[in-house]
Amino acid sequence: SAQGQFLAFDEFGRPFIVIREQEKRARVKGLEAQRANINAARAVSNLLRTSLGPKGMDKILVSQDGDVTITNDGATIMEKMDVKHQVAKLLVELSQSQDNEIGDGTTGVVILAGALLESALNLLDKGLHPLRVCDGFERACEIAVKHLEATSQELDVFANDNELLKKAAVTCLCSKVVSNRQNELAAIAVEAVLDVADIKRKDVNFEHIKVEGKPGGSLEDTCLIRGIVIDKDMSHPQMAKVVKDAKIAILTCPFEPPKPKTKHKLEISNAEDYRKLYEQEQQYFVKMIEDVKNSGSNIVICQWGFDDEANYLLHANKLPAVRWVGGVEIELIAMATGARIVPRFSELSSEKLGRAACVREIGFGTTDDKMIVIEGCANTSAVTVLVRGGNKMIVDEAKRCLHDALCVVRNLIKDSRIVYGGGCAELMASLEITKVVDMEPSIEQYAMRGFADALEDISNALAENSGLNPIETTTWLKNEMKNNPDKRYGVDCNGVGINDMKELNVYESLQSKVQQLQLATQVVRMILKIDDVFAPSEYS
Ligand code: ADP
């Protein structure tokens, strides 16, 4: 290539080309660059293809330090894959933006982008200019979005005890590892979102939903807690496990007597001295506990530990206590319960205590795992979903699944228009584009047709993953759609033989689908506009 070469002349004046070997840069230009980039991106999207839909496969991803992740969540696979190629990285970001804004559809968006790129490559090979391809794709995308908006359906998501919200969450969970508990988890997701939702303003504050996981127990033990959960237990096994109408003292000072400074010498020469010292220590503890009791507090949360003596005295004085609570959690509890964090026993007073309806220690069946739950906090409606499962891998995956389900429910509350899944929405958009293209005089018609073709890839992939013949299935679906415009045909992934997604209740939010189409189109434009790649040669 031109940059790595220069012209020289030999002793007879004949020119020859020197390739600078030490120049460690590889450069690819023009169609060659586009082709290379498209292929890299498609390699990534092909990898995700088998993970799409309820029959999608899971992937095992092993990180460099040996951590194992099992998932079929597009965003997670992309995040954990160590993608080096600079253009393939754009697809990783694509999946992440879908995840950040919508939460689900992270696999679909990458597959769509891959299909669009494949179409684009065909068009480039035919001699279409990349920018014409982009323009055609964008116009087609606009048509698709308009058509989906026009044919979308507005749902009353709160009717029948939030039936539709639950169904949407179930659809989202059915393709995941946790699918055997999908109904329970879906119900938890719906309850959690409704707890923090402002229905009138159609707003959901996601910050108020925490998803915490603790390996151990089983998925069935997963539960919704209307408050905060911390991974600690009461400091003494015989302390009360439940404190109703809690008045919480949050202390950042340790329950221990002041340490003698090193420059003082402490000499204990006989039993009498020792007894005196012991009594003095006891006095300190007694005073501390008195301070706490006098403030009106009935439970102590302490950033530091305390020794056995203090622990015993707390227990004897019927003052349940939690020790070694981390700084972040201390602040969270203080905020939620309206407590002030107290650095010295002498500063304790009634108005500095935090309030909660109940603080309790929960155990899990036969294990000795314990956690502290603070419910009915004075200052917040925050809820925590506590995810349990056999091992860390399952808990992590269940947390991701729940995140998706929470997003789906939130999205439906914010905008309750839906389109149907199983490839239905994509095929409807595809048919509409084809219809419009027939009247399109400009050469963008080719690109628009390419876009319409690419949309078929979703139903193809879903069919393939369910063991059906992709082309036959998609052709059949398209025909049925043309003949019955009121029905919403889609791929029957679970082999139940009904293809009307309305009857099967397989739907996705309009917003999610629109976002998928727009993000995929944008990223394809970005990739097509690159016609020159300079990179250190090891990356090319
Ligand atoms: P994503 O990460 O993109 O959400 P999923 O693996 O969850 O990927 O698959 C979602 C796709 O599977 C969507 O196209 C959705 O319409 C389809 N789908 C989900 N459940 C069903 C079902 N029961 N029947 C047919 N298609 C389904």
Side-chain angles (χ1 to χ4, degrees), residues 421-442:
C424 171
E426 288 86 354
L427 282 183
M428 281 175 57
S430 170
L431 288 175
E432 178 70 14
I433 295 166
T434 316
K435 220 190 282 170
V436 176
V437 163
D438 287 342
M439 290 169 299
E440 174 63 44
S442 76

Side-chain angles (χ1 to χ4, degrees), residues 48 51-57 72-75 95 98 103-111 170-176 404 419-426 458-459 462 466 490-496 498 501 504-508 512-513 516:
L48 281 199
S51 286
L52 185 74
K55 291 282 143 86
M57 294 300 202
N72 86 349
D73 179 53
S95 187
Q98 176 82 17
D104 78 331
T106 54
T107 315
V109 72
V110 175
I111 293 173
V170 169
T171 308
C172 165
L173 292 170
C174 71
S175 69
K176 320 270 183 191
D404 286 3
V419 292
Y420 287 90
C424 171
E426 288 86 354
I458 297 292
S459 55
L462 284 172
S466 322
V491 179
D492 165 28
C493 292
N494 291 320
V496 283
I498 315 169
M501 296 291 129
L504 287 180
N505 276 306
V506 177
Y507 53 75
E508 293 164 70
S512 169
K513 202 48 81 187
Q516 281 186 353

Side-chain angles (χ1 to χ4, degrees), residues 51-241:
S51 286
L52 185 74
K55 291 282 143 86
M57 294 300 202
D58 298 337
K59 314 261 178 236
I60 285 195
L61 299 142
V62 185
S63 75
Q64 284 184 341
D65 42 14
D67 270 353
V68 174
T69 308
I70 299 182
T71 185
N72 86 349
D73 179 53
T76 311
I77 298 174
M78 300 289 273
E79 183 199 315
K80 307 263 168 183
M81 242 173 8
D82 191 16
V83 176
K84 282 258 164 36
H85 194 281
Q86 57 279 13
V87 170
K89 273 191 190 145
L90 288 177
L91 290 205
V92 177
E93 278 161 28
L94 169 71
S95 187
Q96 275 156 5
S97 19
Q98 176 82 17
D99 199 32
N100 293 343
E101 301 204 8
I102 306 284
D104 78 331
T106 54
T107 315
V109 72
V110 175
I111 293 173
L112 195 58
L116 286 175
L117 286 170
E118 182 163 352
S119 267
L121 192 57
N122 287 337
L123 294 163
L124 296 182
D125 281 343
K126 275 191 193 143
L128 222 63
H129 189 274
L131 290 183
R132 291 315 270 271
V133 177
C134 295
D135 292 345
F137 278 9
E138 258 154 30
R139 282 193 49 202
C141 179
E142 227 169 85
I143 295 167
V145 169
K146 281 222 181 81
H147 186 64
L148 289 184
E149 277 170 352
T151 54
S152 70
Q153 202 178 325
E154 174 114 32
L155 295 180
D156 178 4
V157 290
F158 303 116
N160 267 336
D161 192 20
N162 310 310
E163 189 191 354
L164 294 177
L165 291 179
K166 283 181 201 157
K167 278 189 179 144
V170 169
T171 308
C172 165
L173 292 170
C174 71
S175 69
K176 320 270 183 191
V177 168
V178 296
S179 61
N180 58 340
R181 315 272 347 144
Q182 51 179 300
N183 290 324
E184 291 80 353
L185 292 181
I188 288 175
V190 171
E191 260 183 74
V193 175
L194 287 178
D195 268 354
V196 304
D198 180 342
I199 307 278
K200 264 204 217 90
R201 289 176 42 226
K202 294 191 168 197
D203 192 30
V204 178
N205 188 347
F206 244 36
E207 307 246 309
H208 285 171
I209 305 179
K210 290 247 152 18
V211 182
E212 298 278 349
K214 189 166 168 73
S218 73
L219 218 46
E220 284 144 64
D221 303 325
T222 299
C223 58
L224 176 67
I225 284 160
R226 299 198 155 78
I228 301 170
V229 179
I230 50 176
D231 194 356
K232 288 283 170 311
D233 53 3
M234 297 291 182
S235 61
H236 193 289
Q238 278 155 5
M239 280 174 180
K241 303 263 178 272

Side-chain angles (χ1 to χ4, degrees), residues 9 27 174 225 237 394 396 501:
F9 297 90
R27 181 180 180 195
C174 71
I225 284 160
I394 294 194
D396 286 348
M501 296 291 129

